[in-house]
Amino acid sequence: MEHQFIRNRLEEIRTRLGPGLAKLGLDIGFNTRRDSYEVFFESRERKIFSPLTINFPNESQSSFQEASWSEAWLVKEKWRKKKLGDTGWWNQRKLDEEEELIPVSLEGPQMFGWIGRMLLTAKPLSHSREDPARMYSDLVADMYWKISGEISGLSISRIPDDELPDDREAEFEALTFIDHEGRRIHVCHRGADGVVRLLIDGEIVAKIGFTQTATLAEYVIRMSSGRSLDGIKLGR
């Protein structure tokens, strides 16, 4: 339910920014924070969102009887969305916990034009766990970028969890290749899981505690070609 204090600003945002937001596939929502009101932008199905929000101090912090643009500021989260070569997959992650705070210093049409351009350049990000091309494991993505030119036929797969075969969110994401002996290798990881699973021809042969990406990448490169694994220490 909209609060009276911010109602007029929300109506202005809908009127002045609504057409541009519609082209981006975004709708308007708001949250009540401890000391402020946050206006955010996401699709109605919550599949995409903008990393940009508009914020107003609340009644206890404001010098006005209703939310005022003269006290407003934008907050821009820092994200990166990057393709994994020509696989069709991509990875998205928040780069920094620190947010960029941008005071609103313009008025009227100039202000709304500026906010509209900020929303356009910020670009919507994925909000859904149902996107079949999104790589959720930052570890697998980082490994791919490190070794994609080192292993012939390297691809990306999703591997069901044998214990939860029908749970889409339980699936592992994997780097997949054929090693020097003709065996199909999957190097599997899931989201923020602390364990990497190594599968050979569909059988789990090792569970490795989370390690440095560079070390794990070197291990995979050597394994793919039959080179010695001596001297490589994996695990925490």
Side-chain angles (χ1 to χ4, degrees):
M1 182 176 179
E2 295 177 6
H3 196 284
Q4 182 65 39
F5 185 78
I6 196 176
R7 182 172 296 167
N8 288 337
R9 300 295 78 78
L10 286 171
E11 187 58 35
E12 286 179 332
I13 292 170
R14 290 191 184 98
T15 301
R16 305 300 291 271
L17 298 178
L21 288 168
K23 291 180 181 179
L24 294 172
L26 299 172
D27 203 357
I28 298 165
F30 85 102
N31 290 319
T32 301
R33 303 298 188 190
R34 186 178 64 178
D35 296 321
S36 65
Y37 294 107
E38 175 192 70
V39 182
F40 62 89
F41 309 97
E42 67 179 13
S43 64
R44 292 190 178 185
E45 304 83 7
R46 300 193 76 248
K47 290 186 176 181
I48 58 173
F49 73 99
S50 173
L52 192 76
T53 61
I54 304 173
N55 299 262
F56 299 88
N58 67 11
E59 299 90 329
S60 66
Q61 303 296 315
S62 177
S63 303
F64 299 90
Q65 295 300 309
E66 66 175 11
S68 171
W69 286 108
S70 65
E71 296 180 320
W73 70 95
L74 307 184
V75 174
K76 185 177 181 180
E77 295 179 338
K78 299 177 182 178
W79 291 74
R80 183 186 71 180
K81 185 175 180 179
K82 184 178 178 181
K83 293 180 179 179
L84 279 79
D86 59 0
T87 65
W89 291 69
W90 50 272
N91 173 256
Q92 169 185 295
R93 69 185 70 177
K94 195 172 183 181
L95 293 179
D96 196 334
E97 289 303 318
E98 292 187 9
E99 301 165 328
E100 184 179 0
L101 306 182
I102 310 169
V104 175
S105 57
L106 299 172
E107 297 179 355
Q110 282 188 317
M111 177 188 69
F112 287 109
W114 170 68
I115 295 175
R117 290 190 295 274
M118 291 289 288
L119 285 164
L120 185 62
T121 56
K123 296 182 181 179
L125 298 165
S126 176
H127 211 354
S128 172
R129 290 201 60 85
E130 298 177 359
D131 194 318
R134 181 175 174 184
M135 168 66 69
Y136 290 92
S137 169
D138 292 346
L139 174 64
V140 174
D142 288 340
M143 285 184 57
Y144 177 86
W145 288 317
K146 281 186 175 294
I147 69 177
S148 60
E150 303 289 335
I151 300 178
S152 177
L154 182 68
S155 63
I156 297 171
S157 309
R158 277 207 170 95
I159 310 297
D161 186 331
D162 289 340
E163 296 180 2
L164 300 166
D166 298 322
D167 188 339
R168 169 68 179 77
E169 294 190 9
E171 289 182 337
F172 296 93
E173 292 161 331
L175 295 182
T176 301
F177 58 92
I178 304 299
D179 74 358
H180 67 291
E181 296 181 10
R183 302 176 300 178
R184 182 174 296 277
I185 309 297
H186 294 298
V187 183
C188 307
H189 185 245
R190 177 173 53 200
D193 198 347
V195 175
V196 175
R197 290 164 172 80
L198 178 64
L199 276 67
I200 298 180
D201 288 336
E203 180 181 352
I204 297 177
V205 298
K207 294 183 180 181
I208 305 165
F210 188 86
T211 187
Q212 292 293 323
T213 303
T215 304
L216 189 55
E218 176 63 18
Y219 179 92
V220 172
I221 290 171
R222 291 194 188 185
M223 184 173 59
S224 71
S225 60
R227 292 159 52 195
S228 171
L229 301 178
D230 292 346
I232 293 187
K233 295 181 180 179
L234 298 173
R236 296 183 186 278

